Amino acid sequence: MLVYLTDECLMTTAQVAARLSISTKTLLLHVRDGEIGCVNIGTGLRKHRRFALSQIAEFISNRQTREIPPCLSINLKQALSTTTTSGSTAIAFTELPRPETKGTRKP
């Protein structure tokens, strides 16, 4: 991603991570995935990256959640209605008949 900078200040990886409240490792994963752009400074074993404020603002606006209307299939404000084809009825457990006892009771 080519970035053309104007007179905008550049921030380090640690500064951007603190501003976004994420770890530097997570920030570098976002850079690797192309979700946030950066400017590579220097070469060698350690690549130094700098981030422009416009890139950070663009990343934040892309990551904001949009309000999604609730799913109509889980709206429980209405009474549930079902149709059954069986002729059975539901009874409580207290209405079940008690099994008969064998013999007589002892006094």
Side-chain angles (χ1 to χ4, degrees):
M1 170 185 285
L2 288 175
V3 177
Y4 298 102
L5 298 175
T6 57
D7 294 332
E8 199 169 12
C9 69
L10 297 175
M11 298 175 69
T12 64
T13 304
Q15 291 170 336
V16 174
R19 185 172 190 153
L20 296 175
S21 300
I22 59 175
S23 68
T24 55
K25 185 176 180 179
T26 304
L27 177 64
L28 294 178
L29 290 174
H30 288 302
V31 170
R32 185 189 72 189
D33 293 340
E35 296 176 8
I36 184 170
C38 67
V39 177
N40 290 328
I41 298 177
T43 59
L45 296 176
R46 288 189 172 194
K47 292 185 178 180
H48 297 281
R49 295 175 177 90
R50 298 293 185 262
F51 299 87
L53 291 175
S54 61
Q55 294 168 329
I56 299 167
E58 180 183 351
F59 175 74
I60 292 172
S61 67
N62 290 342
R63 298 288 290 183
Q64 288 179 346
T65 58
R66 294 181 280 294
E67 188 171 328
I68 300 171
C71 181
L72 298 176
S73 64
I74 59 171
N75 188 4
L76 298 178
K77 293 180 182 177
Q78 300 173 1
L80 299 175
S81 62
T82 59
T83 57
T84 59
T85 56
S86 66
S88 63
T89 59
I91 60 171
F93 287 106
T94 56
E95 295 180 15
L96 292 175
R98 292 183 178 222
E100 294 183 22
T101 58
K102 297 179 181 177
T104 60
R105 291 189 179 189
K106 294 182 182 178

